Amino acid sequence: MKHISIRVTGKVQGVFFRASAVSAAQQIGVRGFVRNEPDGSVYLEVEGSDEQLNALVAWCKIGPPRARVDEVQVNESITLYHFNDFKIIR
């Protein structure tokens, strides 16, 4: 089990990125959260296996149909929070 944070920039707010991320995360089987940031980016904290995390990062690079992803930054953390599910934080 690993913990990563992901920051996605581009046209990622107002395009159902968060709701689509929840669906993708549930399909992949990771846990954590997603939220909009004041600077227009979307921020995710996610826990799962290497394979699961790689799958979600790959999804983030594409995003939902109306999104335009410019950059995906990934940072690994040694702290595990043992999230119960994957949800949107407002």
Side-chain angles (χ1 to χ4, degrees):
M1 178 83 69
K2 283 171 58 175
H3 179 106
I4 62 171
S5 62
I6 307 168
R7 182 171 307 277
V8 185
T9 57
K11 185 180 178 215
V12 293
Q13 290 190 14
V15 294
F16 299 101
F17 198 100
R18 292 176 302 164
S20 299
V22 170
S23 296
Q26 289 171 344
Q27 270 189 313
I28 293 166
V30 294
R31 297 175 177 196
F33 67 84
V34 58
R35 70 177 181 230
N36 282 342
E37 294 290 284
D39 65 2
S41 66
V42 171
Y43 178 79
L44 304 88
E45 286 203 25
V46 192
E47 292 178 353
S49 69
D50 282 336
E51 186 177 292
Q52 290 170 317
L53 297 175
N54 289 340
L56 189 67
V57 169
W59 179 87
C60 286
K61 290 179 179 179
I62 299 163
R66 293 174 49 206
R68 187 199 73 242
V69 176
D70 291 341
E71 185 179 10
V72 176
Q73 298 171 321
V74 179
N75 292 302
E76 194 172 324
S77 171
I78 57 168
T79 305
L80 288 177
Y81 293 98
H82 304 286
F83 298 112
N84 293 321
D85 54 12
F86 193 92
K87 62 186 174 186
I88 295 173
I89 294 183
R90 300 187 192 284

